[in-house]
Amino acid sequence: EDKVVQSPLSLVVHEGDTVTLNCSYEVTNFRSLLWYKQEKKAPTFLFMLTSSGIEKKSGRLSSILDKKELFSILNITATQTGDSAVYLCAVEGRDDKIIFGKGTRLHILP
Amino acid sequence: EAQVTQNPRYLITVTGKKLTVTCSQNMNHEYMSWYRQDPGLGLRQIYYSMNVEVTDKGDVPEGYKVSRKEKRNFPLILESPSPNQTSLYFCASSSLDGPTWDEQFFGPGTRLTVL
């Protein structure tokens, strides 16, 4: 059965810290992995990864995919209170299905 | 403005009373999908559609129906709702980006309570 596992499920850090969120997957016919941020509403897109080893960056956020070890990480440096959210990892697999992990709830303390 | 709209945003109903949640996108996207989000379970795909008249089951299709008669619309139908379908529902759409589907754009969500 296809699955996407995110860790940790919850994380509390202080403003200015760097955090690393993990996403591992077992998905048949992997096509892409996407990261989303969800605050108190609909998820919004962060990154899409299809190739191993190529880092995607956007400001203080970055992400990379390892297709051999079947995982991705999302890094956030110099965290701010506005980074508090649930971070979702999703994988597109066989038959065009999309499987989400349960998310990592990140809370940044001022 | 490019967007996905859902209606209603909030709905309280009773067991067994048929309901439809509408979803519409104005981005000419081929792919549309319905998810439910429950505490501790994350987003789970209910049904998805890769184009008009093409629909397929996601991970939790039981108790739901969909149709894709037009490219822009993808309604979710609950023929006989039950309390275990109380959830937050999201509709999403995306376009094809080479061999993969691109990022999904999500609607604002529909909070459904079935008594």
Side-chain angles (χ1 to χ4, degrees):
Chain A
E1 184 185 331
D2 292 345
K3 62 180 179 181
V4 176
V5 178
Q6 292 187 244
S7 63
L9 290 180
S10 180
L11 187 57
V12 180
V13 300
H14 286 95
E15 205 167 22
D17 288 350
T18 292
V19 297
T20 298
L21 311 184
N22 303 291
C23 176
S24 65
Y25 61 91
E26 292 176 29
V27 173
T28 308
N29 294 338
F30 171 91
R31 292 193 191 177
S32 63
L33 184 146
L34 297 95
W35 285 96
Y36 292 88
K37 178 182 182 181
Q38 185 177 25
E39 297 170 270
K40 292 187 194 303
K41 41 189 172 34
T44 54
F45 172 76
L46 293 174
F47 297 111
M48 178 171 160
L49 304 155
T50 55
S51 301
S52 264
I54 299 174
E55 186 183 51
K56 295 246 177 142
K57 244 178 118 60
S58 176
R60 295 176 294 102
L61 279 66
S62 64
S63 184
I64 198 161
L65 173 68
D66 185 329
K67 288 168 77 173
K68 184 179 174 189
E69 299 297 329
L70 308 182
F71 77 92
S72 172
I73 59 172
L74 175 68
N75 276 323
I76 309 175
T77 59
T79 52
Q80 302 170 356
T81 54
D83 295 327
S84 293
V86 176
Y87 290 83
L88 299 166
C89 172
V91 175
E92 181 191 336
R94 66 182 165 89
D95 301 329
D96 300 284
K97 274 188 183 177
I98 294 171
I99 303 140
F100 277 81
K102 294 182 180 179
T104 293
R105 184 174 296 277
L106 176 64
H107 185 64
I108 311 294
L109 298 170
Chain B
E1 181 192 351
Q3 59 182 351
V4 179
T5 56
Q6 293 178 228
N7 282 292
R9 296 287 313 280
Y10 302 91
L11 179 60
I12 300 173
T13 189
V14 295
T15 298
K17 186 176 180 183
K18 180 179 179 179
L19 67 93
T20 298
V21 185
T22 64
C23 173
S24 183
Q25 50 93 5
N26 62 2
M27 295 168 279
N28 202 35
H29 285 168
E30 295 86 2
Y31 191 102
M32 296 187 74
S33 182
W34 276 103
Y35 298 91
R36 59 178 291 174
Q37 188 171 36
D38 302 289
L41 295 178
L43 277 162
R44 293 180 293 167
Q45 194 172 41
I46 303 171
Y47 269 97
Y48 60 100
S49 168
M50 290 177 280
N51 217 323
V52 176
E53 303 291 1
V54 179
T55 62
D56 217 334
K57 295 178 181 178
D59 284 334
V60 288
E62 295 78 20
Y64 304 94
K65 283 173 60 175
V66 293
S67 68
R68 187 93 182 271
K69 293 183 175 21
E70 305 163 286
K71 198 172 186 180
R72 63 185 293 128
N73 296 323
F74 191 45
L76 179 70
I77 303 154
L78 284 72
E79 295 267 4
S80 183
S82 62
N84 64 12
Q85 292 178 298
T86 292
S87 188
L88 178 59
Y89 291 86
F90 286 105
C91 179
S93 72
S94 64
S95 59
L96 199 57
D97 179 16
T100 69
W101 296 103
D102 208 348
E103 65 177 278
Q104 291 190 83
F105 290 82
F106 284 82
T110 295
R111 187 164 291 282
L112 172 66
T113 301
V114 183
L115 302 174

